[in-house]
């Protein structure tokens, strides 16, 4: 089922009518099949209105066994047998995906510069609908829409952090 835009706005703390105003600035993809590739070369927000999006860490070559983290070597579990992909999170409809990279990249404050791999989730039946908003498209938004998107992203990050604290 598709999440109505007004419900998405409520979940993301957006003023009524925000999604309707935002739509012309977004690339709306409403028929993405399971495991369809959603990663972009530039920072992009994905507003998930139907189905879900899965994010993965991608590890290749020697990094499959050893992962460098701030000069320390530590064993990485969960990569073998999955083509170098390790599940990070699944985001169902009502979420905004890609927020961290979208916010940090323009300020050159992203610690890990690898691109997160994102794809349409195969765990939720049916096609996925996402609205893609690139950094360039965001810069073209009127000021009040930029503010609404910023506040929705802040709420998303706070809820995401809170969820991580609760589940350990």
């Amino acid at each position: 089922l598709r999440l109505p835009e007004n419900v998405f706005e409520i979940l993301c703390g957006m003023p009524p009518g925000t999604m309707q105003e935002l739509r012309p600035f977004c690339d709306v993809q409403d028929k993405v099949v399971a495991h369809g590739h959603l990663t972009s070369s530039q920072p992009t927000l994905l507003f998930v209105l139907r189905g879900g999006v899965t994010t993965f860490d991608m590890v290749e070559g020697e990094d499959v066994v050893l992962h460098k983290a701030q000069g320390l070597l530590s064993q990485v579990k969960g990569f073998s047998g999955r083509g170098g992909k390790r599940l990070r999170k699944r985001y169902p409809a009502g979420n905004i995906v890609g927020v961290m990279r979208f916010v940090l990249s323009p300020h050159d404050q992203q610690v890990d510069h690898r691109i997160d791999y994102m794809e349409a989730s195969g765990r939720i039946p049916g096609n996925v609908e996402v609205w893609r908003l690139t950094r360039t498209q965001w810069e073209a938004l009127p000021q009040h829409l930029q503010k609404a998107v910023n506040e929705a992203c802040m709420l998303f990050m706070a809820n995401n952090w809170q969820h991580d604290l609760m589940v350990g």
Side-chain angles (χ1 to χ4, degrees):
L1 291 171
R2 184 183 188 279
L3 192 64
E5 293 164 27
N6 65 322
V7 175
F8 188 92
E9 292 165 348
I10 292 167
L11 291 172
C12 294
M14 295 176 163
T18 299
M19 293 302 286
Q20 184 177 5
E21 274 191 85
L22 190 60
R23 186 180 182 120
F25 295 94
C26 296
D27 173 22
V28 176
Q29 297 179 307
D30 60 354
K31 292 181 176 48
V32 183
V33 296
H35 309 291
H37 182 75
L38 295 169
T39 304
S40 177
S41 60
Q42 64 175 307
T44 304
L45 294 176
L46 300 178
F47 301 92
V48 185
L49 281 101
R50 182 177 53 227
V53 172
T54 305
T55 60
F56 296 95
D57 289 323
M58 298 298 291
V59 176
E60 298 175 4
E62 294 177 8
D63 287 339
V64 171
V65 178
L66 295 175
H67 178 68
K68 293 181 181 179
Q70 297 178 353
L72 300 174
L73 295 177
S74 60
Q75 294 294 326
V76 177
K77 297 180 181 180
F79 283 93
S80 62
R82 295 189 181 106
K85 292 191 300 188
R86 182 172 130 198
L87 175 67
R88 182 179 292 165
K89 286 190 179 178
R90 285 190 187 92
Y91 297 96
N95 280 286
I96 304 171
V97 184
V99 175
M100 184 170 59
R101 182 170 176 240
F102 189 84
V103 171
L104 294 177
S105 289
H107 304 285
D108 199 27
Q109 293 186 13
Q110 188 172 354
V111 175
D112 187 349
H113 292 280
R114 291 177 297 177
I115 295 174
D116 294 334
Y117 184 78
M118 297 182 287
E119 67 180 37
S121 177
R123 293 281 177 143
I124 302 172
N127 290 339
V128 172
E129 179 179 345
V130 294
W131 295 11
R132 302 171 69 94
L133 184 70
T134 65
R135 192 76 194 180
T136 305
Q137 291 164 320
W138 180 84
E139 290 168 358
L141 292 176
Q143 199 73 17
H144 71 283
L145 281 180
Q146 284 185 358
K147 182 177 186 256
V149 170
N150 282 345
E151 290 177 1
C153 288
M154 286 179 19
L155 181 62
F156 171 80
M157 287 191 298
N159 280 325
N160 211 22
W161 186 33
Q162 179 174 253
H163 176 266
D164 288 350
L165 290 173
M166 290 173 28
V167 297

